[in-house]
Amino acid sequence: MPVHGESLGFLKPLGGGDPVELVKEELVIGRRPSCDVFLDFENLSGKHCNLRMINGIWHVKDLGSTNGTTVNGTKISTEQSLMPDDELGLAGHFFTIDYEPSGPATLLHGSDAFDEEVVETRKKHSLMELAGMDSEDRPKRVRATKPPARIERLSADEGEFDDALPENYKPPAPKAEGNDEDFLKLFEG
């Protein structure tokens, strides 16, 4: 149990911004100024999610937010644990929690079930990474924090079209005029 006022970690925005010190074992994050962690984003719900420290590990629970909460790109519907390398998404805004997990030594350090290979697998997000086809030299994707600029499109009248027909084009033969009896003779004969 931490001493009152002792830091339990930092909520760090990905892509830059000031980290938020986490000083209580249970915090509400949202757009309302009365929240423990106030984030002034239009698409964040008033009370968006709850962060709780349980046995030395941070956990997150969505509070019925409109735009959702994700952990490593997966939308959550139940309370989920958050390790320091996990990506926390709040309505399209992304964070990590910088802290030193504590708990049973077998869980954090000595268990075969939690060896480095398993931890590395949790970090991978794309199919290319999971297939082992993503190289460390390749630049990493950066999430857009702003919507893309407006895309201008030309109307059909403004566009440039090539109306010329190909050289080998042959127009279809004109249809023969006839009546239903001529048509039926084709099948009878």
Side-chain angles (χ1 to χ4, degrees):
M1 191 76 116
V3 178
H4 181 69
E6 182 180 324
S7 178
L8 298 171
F10 291 90
L11 182 68
K12 296 174 89 176
L14 295 179
D18 295 330
V20 176
E21 187 173 16
L22 306 174
V23 293
K24 290 172 38 179
E25 289 189 353
E26 188 162 350
L27 303 158
V28 175
I29 297 176
R31 196 178 71 236
R32 288 185 185 164
S34 61
C35 290
D36 298 307
V37 177
F38 167 64
L39 299 174
D40 193 17
F41 298 121
E42 257 184 43
N43 59 346
L44 210 64
S45 293
K47 289 186 176 181
H48 195 90
C49 69
N50 186 36
L51 281 179
R52 289 194 316 156
M53 176 71 78
I54 302 172
N55 295 326
I57 307 287
W58 279 108
H59 289 74
V60 62
K61 180 180 180 185
D62 188 79
L63 296 176
S65 66
T66 302
N67 293 315
T69 301
T70 61
V71 174
N72 295 327
T74 303
K75 190 170 184 174
I76 63 169
S77 57
T78 60
E79 189 168 62
Q80 301 288 318
S81 64
L82 286 171
M83 298 307 285
D85 58 340
D86 288 339
E87 178 186 83
L88 173 64
L90 306 175
H93 304 279
F94 300 95
F95 304 86
T96 59
I97 296 184
D98 186 15
Y99 75 106
E100 192 64 40
S102 62
T106 56
L107 180 64
L108 295 175
H109 303 291
S111 173
D112 292 335
F114 291 99
D115 62 5
E116 288 181 27
E117 185 177 321
V118 173
V119 173
E120 283 299 315
T121 303
R122 289 188 70 185
K123 292 180 188 178
K124 297 178 181 178
H125 299 297
S126 74
L127 291 176
M128 295 291 283
E129 290 171 318
L130 292 171
M133 299 172 73
D134 192 38
S135 95
E136 293 295 322
D137 300 332
R138 185 181 299 167
K140 300 295 181 195
R141 285 188 327 188
V142 177
R143 295 187 189 273
T145 55
K146 295 181 181 178
R150 184 170 177 224
I151 298 171
E152 295 291 330
R153 295 200 170 114
L154 298 176
S155 70
D157 295 336
E158 297 172 314
E160 294 180 23
F161 298 99
D162 185 6
D163 291 335
L165 296 173
E167 290 178 26
N168 59 353
Y169 176 77
K170 293 181 183 176
K175 292 186 179 180
E177 294 290 328
N179 57 28
D180 290 339
E181 289 176 20
D182 292 335
F183 179 74
L184 291 175
K185 287 179 186 177
L186 291 172
F187 291 103
E188 292 172 358

